[in-house]
Amino acid sequence: MTTSNRILLGVNIDHVATLRQARGTRYPDPVKAALDAEEAGADGITVHLREDRRHIQERDVLLLKDVLQTRMNFEMGVTEEMMAFAERIRPAHICLVPETRQELTTEGGLDVAGQEARIKAAVDRLAKIGCEVSLFIDADERQIEASKRVGAPAIELHTGRYADAETPTSVAEELKRVADGVAFGLTQGLIVNAGHGLHYHNVEAVAAIKGINELNIGHALVAHALFVGFKSAVSEMKALILAAATKA
Ligand SMILES: CC(=O)[C@@H](O)[C@H](O)COP(=O)(O)O
Ligand SMILES: NCC(=O)COP(=O)(O)O
């Protein structure tokens, strides 16, 4: 069981690509953002190649695979198209996420418990090509147990409900749900990551939860980068996370 206070920052660069896709230009290039993020202390780079290609493109993933010095966390839906793409490019780390075309952003976690056979087949297939697979799930014991059963070595707990909570009571409830999920995931021997909707004002409480391996943060970081630059946005976030984890 990991209880180290060291916590990694995975920088999600999807929304650099959102800005590029808004005009179909060559800029801003998410690959440049990834390299700047690494220089500023990111421990990894996360990209979500959506089925509708609304932000990240295949070209981005291929280039990142070649140039990153840290690691790429490749997020994908569990579809045959994505499985075949993963088998072609063989990312070292894959996070399986739920996905629908109509959603504004990833709503809820992957229902591993409700489709164990399908997720197990995907995890086994990706393990065969050497990927470490993580499952993006809600902080729910049923989903965590199912993730363990399907053989995923890692989970990422969806922090969106915590991020969206508006009253002190609901914030505290959602934070506790995440903290309980982390503790339970660790008892199952899983690597526990977390992310979604985290920003400069809500990240510290999550970073203070003992045992989280990595936080994946994107939208807020890209937004802040508009005002302070990408490197500063990353280093500010990293400093907040490390300080909170150290204090805890
Ligand atoms: C799975 C996850 O939380 C991220 O990949 C997130 O989905 C990226 O942003 P969008 O949902 O806006 O594409
Ligand atoms: N998996 C969560 C992620 O990569 C970042 O989500 P967000 O910070 O863009 O909401």
Side-chain angles (χ1 to χ4, degrees):
M1 177 164 140
T2 315
T3 48
S4 146
N5 280 352
R6 178 166 159 67
I7 186 161
L8 306 175
L9 171 61
V11 171
N12 181 317
I13 53 171
D14 291 352
H15 296 297
V16 176
T18 300
L19 191 53
R20 177 190 61 191
Q21 297 310 113
R23 284 287 181 92
T25 46
R26 292 188 174 197
Y27 62 85
D29 193 335
V31 177
K32 160 122 176 67
L35 296 177
D36 281 1
E38 283 190 327
E39 273 186 37
D43 300 290
I45 302 297
T46 293
V47 283
H48 181 177
L49 183 66
R50 279 182 173 272
E51 187 196 16
D52 63 11
R53 305 295 195 271
R54 65 174 76 162
H55 40 53
I56 291 296
Q57 306 296 307
E58 289 180 29
R59 165 263 184 209
D60 303 324
V61 182
L62 295 171
L63 282 173
L64 288 167
K65 179 142 195 286
D66 266 3
V67 302
L68 290 185
Q69 298 191 50
T70 55
R71 66 186 190 100
M72 176 171 64
N73 172 35
F74 179 62
E75 294 182 334
M76 57 176 241
V78 191
T79 64
E80 183 48 41
E81 184 215 359
M82 281 300 149
M83 293 295 289
F85 180 70
E87 284 174 332
R88 180 154 69 86
I89 68 157
R90 294 170 169 255
H93 302 271
I94 289 188
C95 183
L96 297 179
V97 304
E99 196 181 303
T100 59
R101 278 191 176 228
Q102 297 74 22
E103 68 191 358
L104 188 60
T105 185
T106 308
E107 290 164 357
L110 192 64
D111 181 15
V112 183
Q115 43 177 347
E116 271 194 53
R118 177 165 171 260
I119 303 298
K120 183 174 184 338
V123 171
D124 288 349
R125 198 167 147 188
L126 295 171
K128 265 195 203 125
I129 54 162
C131 299
E132 180 188 274
V133 181
S134 157
L135 302 175
F136 188 64
I137 57 171
D138 288 328
D140 168 344
E141 288 196 4
R142 216 175 118 250
Q143 298 296 346
I144 297 170
E145 283 170 341
S147 300
K148 174 71 180 176
R149 280 197 299 275
V150 301
I155 52 175
E156 178 173 331
L157 299 180
H158 194 317
T159 50
R161 282 171 60 166
Y162 160 71
D164 290 342
E166 286 182 349
T167 64
T169 309
S170 58
V171 170
E173 274 170 16
E174 293 302 334
L175 184 64
K176 182 173 182 316
R177 195 190 307 278
V178 175
D180 290 349
V182 173
F184 187 68
L186 293 174
T187 67
Q188 301 295 298
L190 295 164
I191 297 168
V192 184
N193 303 319
H196 200 89
L198 297 178
H199 56 64
Y200 295 84
H201 301 283
N202 68 11
V203 74
E204 287 167 289
V206 177
I209 298 171
K210 287 210 169 47
I212 296 184
N213 173 61
E214 179 176 80
L215 293 179
N216 283 306
I217 305 179
H219 186 265
L221 216 149
V222 173
H224 192 49
L226 289 175
F227 302 105
V228 302
F230 213 78
K231 286 186 188 171
S232 298
V234 171
S235 55
E236 280 180 39
M237 184 60 84
K238 174 119 183 172
L240 271 181
I241 289 173
L242 290 182
T246 308
K247 253 192 276 163

